[in-house]
Amino acid sequence: KSPFIVGLVVLIFAIIGVVSVGSFVKNIIVDKVTEADDYSKYTKYLTWVVGIDPDPFTDITKADFDDLLNIAVCSLLTAEVKTDDYDVTELGMVVPARDVEQSFKTMFGNDVQIVHATVQGYGYEFQYDATTNCYYVPLTGVVPPFSPRIESANKTGGLVILKVGYVGTNSIEVAPDGTIAATQPDKYADITIKETETGYNLISVM
């Protein structure tokens, strides 16, 4: 079966609002799937799991917490969230901690609890202010090093074991006609997720 090809993923924190990665990808993807494996739902969920590229872990409670917090914030800002409702100050976009908490729970479930803190990423920082209980999101552009390409999906019980290719965003080539050349992943990982009533929870990255 042909994998779902995911193109360049760019997250732009801009004063006019946060550009949705989902919308951006949809505009530049050439879908190579003729028989709808429908890996797109997995790809969407894993966009920032792969984008943040956490160190491997066998259980979500053993994951690097900064990585999880980073994934939660980035996933929130690229979800169907009305960022126009967030205020903007000289420190950046003001994101209530409760929204980050909800994103964290949506991504990882109840097995790991959020602890609010400032977290750094690839050339940016999400600053947490305990006084206002808010995060300040910088008004800068961020290009994650990888985007996900689902190679296979095996279900067992309520779990889904995914073989995921990490396609380097620097190696993706877009032709003049807008098509994306098939690019081999830089590396692979087996990512296990749990199906829930509202989506998925991350279990392990190996």
Short mmCIF file of all heavy atoms in Angstrom, two decimals, residues 143-174:
data_model
loop_
_atom_site.label_atom_id
_atom_site.label_comp_id
_atom_site.label_asym_id
_atom_site.label_seq_id
_atom_site.Cartn_x
_atom_site.Cartn_y
_atom_site.Cartn_z
N VAL A 143 9.98 26.08 11.95
CA VAL A 143 9.94 24.95 11.01
C VAL A 143 10.42 23.71 11.75
O VAL A 143 11.59 23.62 12.10
CB VAL A 143 10.83 25.20 9.77
CG1 VAL A 143 10.76 24.00 8.83
CG2 VAL A 143 10.40 26.47 9.06
N PRO A 144 9.54 22.75 12.02
CA PRO A 144 9.96 21.53 12.71
C PRO A 144 10.90 20.73 11.81
O PRO A 144 10.80 20.80 10.58
CB PRO A 144 8.65 20.78 12.95
CG PRO A 144 7.74 21.29 11.89
CD PRO A 144 8.12 22.72 11.65
N PRO A 145 11.82 19.97 12.39
CA PRO A 145 12.79 19.24 11.58
C PRO A 145 12.21 18.08 10.80
O PRO A 145 12.77 17.67 9.79
CB PRO A 145 13.81 18.73 12.62
CG PRO A 145 13.03 18.66 13.89
CD PRO A 145 12.06 19.80 13.84
N PHE A 146 11.08 17.54 11.25
CA PHE A 146 10.49 16.38 10.59
C PHE A 146 8.97 16.53 10.45
O PHE A 146 8.33 17.20 11.26
CB PHE A 146 10.76 15.10 11.38
CG PHE A 146 12.21 14.79 11.61
CD1 PHE A 146 12.78 14.99 12.85
CD2 PHE A 146 13.00 14.31 10.57
CE1 PHE A 146 14.13 14.72 13.07
CE2 PHE A 146 14.34 14.04 10.78
CZ PHE A 146 14.91 14.24 12.02
N SER A 147 8.44 15.88 9.43
CA SER A 147 7.00 15.70 9.32
C SER A 147 6.72 14.21 9.19
O SER A 147 7.56 13.45 8.68
CB SER A 147 6.45 16.47 8.12
OG SER A 147 7.02 16.01 6.91
N PRO A 148 5.55 13.74 9.65
CA PRO A 148 5.29 12.30 9.70
C PRO A 148 4.79 11.72 8.38
O PRO A 148 4.05 12.36 7.65
CB PRO A 148 4.21 12.18 10.77
CG PRO A 148 3.47 13.48 10.69
CD PRO A 148 4.50 14.52 10.32
N ARG A 149 5.22 10.50 8.11
CA ARG A 149 4.66 9.72 7.02
C ARG A 149 4.37 8.32 7.54
O ARG A 149 5.29 7.60 7.95
CB ARG A 149 5.63 9.65 5.84
CG ARG A 149 4.99 9.00 4.60
CD ARG A 149 5.82 9.23 3.36
NE ARG A 149 6.90 8.28 3.24
CZ ARG A 149 7.93 8.43 2.42
NH1 ARG A 149 8.03 9.52 1.68
NH2 ARG A 149 8.87 7.51 2.34
N ILE A 150 3.11 7.96 7.57
CA ILE A 150 2.71 6.68 8.13
C ILE A 150 2.96 5.57 7.11
O ILE A 150 2.43 5.59 6.01
CB ILE A 150 1.23 6.68 8.54
CG1 ILE A 150 0.89 7.91 9.39
CG2 ILE A 150 0.87 5.39 9.26
CD1 ILE A 150 1.70 8.04 10.66
N GLU A 151 3.79 4.61 7.49
CA GLU A 151 4.12 3.49 6.61
C GLU A 151 3.16 2.32 6.80
O GLU A 151 2.83 1.63 5.84
CB GLU A 151 5.56 3.03 6.87
CG GLU A 151 6.61 4.13 6.71
CD GLU A 151 6.85 4.48 5.25
OE1 GLU A 151 6.53 3.63 4.39
OE2 GLU A 151 7.36 5.57 4.97
N SER A 152 2.75 2.09 8.04
CA SER A 152 1.82 0.98 8.30
C SER A 152 1.14 1.22 9.63
O SER A 152 1.62 1.99 10.47
CB SER A 152 2.56 -0.37 8.32
OG SER A 152 3.49 -0.42 9.40
N ALA A 153 0.00 0.55 9.82
CA ALA A 153 -0.76 0.66 11.06
C ALA A 153 -1.31 -0.71 11.42
O ALA A 153 -1.98 -1.35 10.60
CB ALA A 153 -1.89 1.67 10.89
N ASN A 154 -1.00 -1.16 12.61
CA ASN A 154 -1.49 -2.45 13.08
C ASN A 154 -2.27 -2.26 14.38
O ASN A 154 -1.75 -1.72 15.35
CB ASN A 154 -0.33 -3.41 13.33
CG ASN A 154 0.42 -3.75 12.05
OD1 ASN A 154 -0.19 -4.20 11.08
ND2 ASN A 154 1.72 -3.52 12.04
N LYS A 155 -3.53 -2.69 14.36
CA LYS A 155 -4.38 -2.54 15.53
C LYS A 155 -4.40 -3.82 16.36
O LYS A 155 -4.46 -4.92 15.82
CB LYS A 155 -5.81 -2.20 15.11
CG LYS A 155 -5.95 -0.82 14.48
CD LYS A 155 -7.41 -0.49 14.22
CE LYS A 155 -7.56 0.90 13.64
NZ LYS A 155 -9.00 1.27 13.44
N THR A 156 -4.30 -3.64 17.66
CA THR A 156 -4.42 -4.76 18.58
C THR A 156 -5.14 -4.27 19.81
O THR A 156 -4.63 -3.43 20.55
CB THR A 156 -3.04 -5.36 18.94
OG1 THR A 156 -3.21 -6.35 19.96
CG2 THR A 156 -2.07 -4.31 19.40
N GLY A 157 -6.34 -4.81 20.03
CA GLY A 157 -7.16 -4.30 21.12
C GLY A 157 -7.51 -2.84 20.86
O GLY A 157 -7.93 -2.46 19.78
N GLY A 158 -7.28 -2.00 21.84
CA GLY A 158 -7.53 -0.58 21.67
C GLY A 158 -6.30 0.21 21.29
O GLY A 158 -6.32 1.45 21.28
N LEU A 159 -5.22 -0.50 20.96
CA LEU A 159 -3.97 0.15 20.61
C LEU A 159 -3.74 0.12 19.10
O LEU A 159 -4.18 -0.80 18.42
CB LEU A 159 -2.79 -0.51 21.32
CG LEU A 159 -2.82 -0.52 22.84
CD1 LEU A 159 -1.57 -1.24 23.38
CD2 LEU A 159 -2.89 0.90 23.41
N VAL A 160 -3.01 1.11 18.61
CA VAL A 160 -2.59 1.15 17.21
C VAL A 160 -1.08 1.33 17.20
O VAL A 160 -0.56 2.30 17.77
CB VAL A 160 -3.26 2.30 16.44
CG1 VAL A 160 -2.87 2.22 14.96
CG2 VAL A 160 -4.76 2.28 16.60
N ILE A 161 -0.38 0.38 16.58
CA ILE A 161 1.08 0.46 16.47
C ILE A 161 1.40 0.96 15.07
O ILE A 161 1.08 0.30 14.07
CB ILE A 161 1.74 -0.89 16.73
CG1 ILE A 161 1.35 -1.40 18.13
CG2 ILE A 161 3.26 -0.77 16.61
CD1 ILE A 161 1.80 -2.82 18.41
N LEU A 162 2.01 2.12 15.00
CA LEU A 162 2.30 2.77 13.73
C LEU A 162 3.79 2.74 13.42
O LEU A 162 4.61 3.04 14.29
CB LEU A 162 1.84 4.23 13.77
CG LEU A 162 0.36 4.46 14.09
CD1 LEU A 162 0.12 5.92 14.44
CD2 LEU A 162 -0.50 4.05 12.91
N LYS A 163 4.12 2.37 12.20
CA LYS A 163 5.48 2.56 11.72
C LYS A 163 5.50 3.91 11.04
O LYS A 163 4.80 4.12 10.04
CB LYS A 163 5.91 1.47 10.75
CG LYS A 163 7.36 1.64 10.27
CD LYS A 163 7.79 0.53 9.32
CE LYS A 163 9.23 0.73 8.89
NZ LYS A 163 9.68 -0.33 7.95
N VAL A 164 6.29 4.82 11.57
CA VAL A 164 6.25 6.21 11.11
C VAL A 164 7.60 6.62 10.55
O VAL A 164 8.63 6.45 11.20
CB VAL A 164 5.88 7.16 12.27
CG1 VAL A 164 5.75 8.59 11.77
CG2 VAL A 164 4.57 6.71 12.92
N GLY A 165 7.58 7.14 9.33
CA GLY A 165 8.78 7.71 8.75
C GLY A 165 8.89 9.17 9.12
O GLY A 165 7.90 9.91 9.09
N TYR A 166 10.10 9.59 9.50
CA TYR A 166 10.36 10.99 9.83
C TYR A 166 10.99 11.63 8.60
O TYR A 166 12.17 11.43 8.32
CB TYR A 166 11.32 11.10 11.01
CG TYR A 166 10.72 10.78 12.36
CD1 TYR A 166 10.01 9.59 12.59
CD2 TYR A 166 10.87 11.64 13.43
CE1 TYR A 166 9.48 9.30 13.83
CE2 TYR A 166 10.34 11.36 14.68
CZ TYR A 166 9.65 10.19 14.88
OH TYR A 166 9.12 9.90 16.11
N VAL A 167 10.19 12.39 7.88
CA VAL A 167 10.67 13.02 6.65
C VAL A 167 11.26 14.38 6.99
O VAL A 167 10.56 15.25 7.51
CB VAL A 167 9.52 13.18 5.63
CG1 VAL A 167 10.04 13.84 4.35
CG2 VAL A 167 8.90 11.83 5.31
N GLY A 168 12.54 14.55 6.72
CA GLY A 168 13.19 15.82 7.02
C GLY A 168 12.63 16.95 6.19
O GLY A 168 12.57 16.86 4.96
N THR A 169 12.18 18.02 6.83
CA THR A 169 11.58 19.13 6.09
C THR A 169 12.61 19.82 5.20
O THR A 169 12.25 20.42 4.18
CB THR A 169 10.97 20.16 7.06
OG1 THR A 169 11.94 20.53 8.04
CG2 THR A 169 9.76 19.57 7.75
N ASN A 170 13.89 19.74 5.54
CA ASN A 170 14.93 20.36 4.72
C ASN A 170 15.18 19.60 3.43
O ASN A 170 15.76 20.14 2.48
CB ASN A 170 16.24 20.48 5.50
CG ASN A 170 16.16 21.50 6.61
OD1 ASN A 170 15.39 22.46 6.53
ND2 ASN A 170 16.96 21.32 7.65
N SER A 171 14.75 18.33 3.39
CA SER A 171 15.01 17.51 2.22
C SER A 171 13.82 17.41 1.27
O SER A 171 13.90 16.78 0.23
CB SER A 171 15.45 16.10 2.64
OG SER A 171 14.42 15.47 3.40
N ILE A 172 12.71 18.04 1.64
CA ILE A 172 11.52 17.99 0.80
C ILE A 172 11.65 18.95 -0.37
O ILE A 172 12.03 20.11 -0.19
CB ILE A 172 10.25 18.32 1.61
CG1 ILE A 172 10.01 17.23 2.64
CG2 ILE A 172 9.04 18.49 0.70
CD1 ILE A 172 8.86 17.50 3.57
N GLU A 173 11.40 18.47 -1.56
CA GLU A 173 11.50 19.28 -2.76
C GLU A 173 10.12 19.48 -3.38
O GLU A 173 9.40 18.52 -3.65
CB GLU A 173 12.44 18.62 -3.77
CG GLU A 173 13.88 18.48 -3.28
CD GLU A 173 14.79 17.85 -4.32
OE1 GLU A 173 14.29 17.57 -5.43
OE2 GLU A 173 15.97 17.66 -4.03
N VAL A 174 9.77 20.74 -3.60
CA VAL A 174 8.50 21.07 -4.22
C VAL A 174 8.76 21.54 -5.64
O VAL A 174 9.51 22.49 -5.87
CB VAL A 174 7.77 22.18 -3.43
CG1 VAL A 174 6.42 22.49 -4.09
CG2 VAL A 174 7.57 21.76 -1.97
#
